[in-house]
Amino acid sequence: LVNYDVAVNSNWTLGPEVFYMNFNIDSSSVNSNEISIKAFGLGARGNWFKNGVHTDGLYVGPSLRYVSVEGEETFT
């Protein structure tokens, strides 16, 4: 997950998010198989900081994201 925040005022930031994941799961048994998972997402988020942008303390970070996930199983 990669995101970037830009301050829009003293308490709010907004920014884009990009998400990517790719991994394989192998199983060894009498018949071995492999599961491949790929996921990609785009979105945006906003952060509200109680004590001011990028300071220690309470903040709330709602986000909205579209994610596409594909899975494939191969038997050998």
Side-chain angles (χ1 to χ4, degrees):
L1 175 66
V2 174
N3 55 44
Y4 182 76
D5 291 330
V6 176
V8 293
N9 65 31
S10 62
N11 291 91
W12 279 95
T13 62
L14 295 175
E17 290 185 333
V18 177
F19 171 80
Y20 179 75
M21 180 174 34
N22 182 10
F23 64 93
N24 295 318
I25 302 170
D26 294 325
S27 172
S28 57
S29 60
V30 175
N31 293 322
S32 64
N33 61 339
E34 179 179 279
I35 299 171
S36 174
I37 306 289
K38 292 181 182 180
F40 175 76
L42 293 173
R45 74 181 207 162
N47 293 314
W48 174 80
F49 295 85
K50 180 180 178 185
N51 299 328
V53 171
H54 301 140
T55 59
D56 289 342
L58 176 70
Y59 77 95
V60 178
S63 66
L64 183 62
R65 193 180 299 151
Y66 167 81
V67 177
S68 174
V69 179
E70 295 180 12
E72 181 178 301
E73 185 171 15
T74 305
F75 294 96
T76 57

